Each structure stands twice: as structure tokens, then as C-alpha cells.
Amino acid sequence: MDEVFRYRSRSLSREDIAGLRNLIAQHPQASRRRLSALVCEAWNWRQSNGALCDMVCRSLMLALHRAGHIELPAKKFSPPNSLGMKRCNPATDFELDQSPIECGLKELPPLAIRQVRRTEAERLFNGLIERFHYLGYTHPVGEQLKQIIYAGDR
């Protein structure tokens, strides 16, 4: 088989891609979700529990679409933000003194590590990550701790 495209551990040949194009043409009104189910059924692509590899297939088809190998129909539906959470809006309007602190540790006011998750300071935490972390801020998945270290009475 001459591999044209590889996604995760799946190799696709020209024939596989031509088959995908044909399947899309045969179902012009199908959503991306329906197309991925059809592809999984045609390829007998299933998880160990017997369920279709639907999400992986959709990701594969999107990668093929972006690479110009196939043309997917327009998105019909975008699911709401995960867990129904509001879109994160990190604070970006804060001023921050970034001048170096030049003193011994004993001369600093007492340091306090404060949990800021689900407090008013969480937006500040998110804004600090957005501004100073090289990846910026994206809403993390699952449970997380968000802490800020304060010096003094803050």
C-alpha cells in the first residue's frame, strides 16, 4: 500500500481517500458526524468495546480536509463550551509592578499562598497566565488548583 496520509496509527492510501470522497458525494446532505459514522461502519473501525471510533474518525476527516485531500460539508452544529461553562475572559486590564525585588528573603513581608480558584482573584490568575506564560491561557480540563503567592497583607 502506498501511504498518502497518516493519522495516529492509521495509514491511508489513494484508494482510501478516493473512497472517502465517493462516500461524501453519495451523502451530500449528511453531517460530518453522520459521515464519520458511515466511514467507521464501512471500515469496521471500532473500539475494543464495540463502539464506533467516531471521534477519531471525525478528527481524521478534518485533518484530511485541512490538508486538501477531501472536502467536508460545512459544520451544521457547534457544541456549547464543555460542561456548559462560560467562555473564559481573563483579566487583561491590570497593572503590574515588574521591577526587580532587591533584598534578602528575611526582609520580605511574610509570603502567603492563596487558593484563588472560584474567587474574584481567579480572573487575575488567568490574566497573568495569559500575559506571561508562553502558551497563553486556555481553560484547563478537569479539576485544577489555581494559586497566587502574595507578599504582605494582600
Side-chain angles (χ1 to χ4, degrees):
M1 174 176 91
D2 59 328
E3 182 180 298
V4 175
F5 194 83
R6 184 168 190 79
Y7 185 78
R8 295 190 181 185
S9 61
R10 185 152 198 117
S11 297
L12 298 177
S13 66
R14 292 189 198 312
E15 293 79 24
D16 293 328
I17 294 172
L20 281 172
R21 283 193 207 112
N22 187 31
L23 188 123
I24 293 168
Q26 289 174 357
H27 301 89
Q29 299 302 316
S31 66
R32 292 177 178 194
R33 182 182 186 123
R34 178 69 185 131
L35 287 171
S36 69
L38 290 169
V39 170
C40 287
E41 289 168 4
W43 290 353
N44 196 25
W45 197 7
R46 297 186 178 275
Q47 300 174 38
S48 58
N49 65 1
L52 297 175
C53 292
D54 189 41
M55 293 296 290
V56 176
C57 185
R58 263 186 270 167
S59 297
L60 165 68
M61 291 190 326
L62 185 58
L64 286 166
H65 173 80
R66 288 178 175 160
H69 292 290
I70 63 172
E71 187 67 34
L72 284 175
K75 282 174 96 176
K76 291 184 178 182
F77 177 74
S78 289
N81 205 348
S82 68
L83 304 176
M85 291 184 226
K86 288 189 266 182
R87 191 91 184 134
C88 176
N89 186 16
T92 54
D93 55 350
F94 58 87
E95 289 189 29
L96 190 63
D97 179 6
Q98 295 184 60
S99 56
I101 299 172
E102 297 184 16
C103 67
L105 189 58
K106 289 183 179 181
E107 298 171 60
L108 281 176
L111 300 180
I113 301 173
R114 299 233 170 86
Q115 175 65 263
V116 296
R117 177 96 164 108
R118 295 186 177 103
T119 70
E120 291 180 21
E122 186 173 14
R123 274 189 78 232
L124 173 63
F125 176 92
N126 296 344
L128 290 166
I129 298 295
E130 176 66 32
R131 188 185 292 181
F132 296 105
H133 194 280
Y134 72 101
L135 293 175
Y137 179 82
T138 57
H139 186 79
V141 176
E143 285 299 314
Q144 64 273 175
L145 296 176
K146 294 181 178 183
Q147 300 172 331
I148 296 178
I149 299 174
Y150 293 96
D153 294 331
R154 279 215 71 188

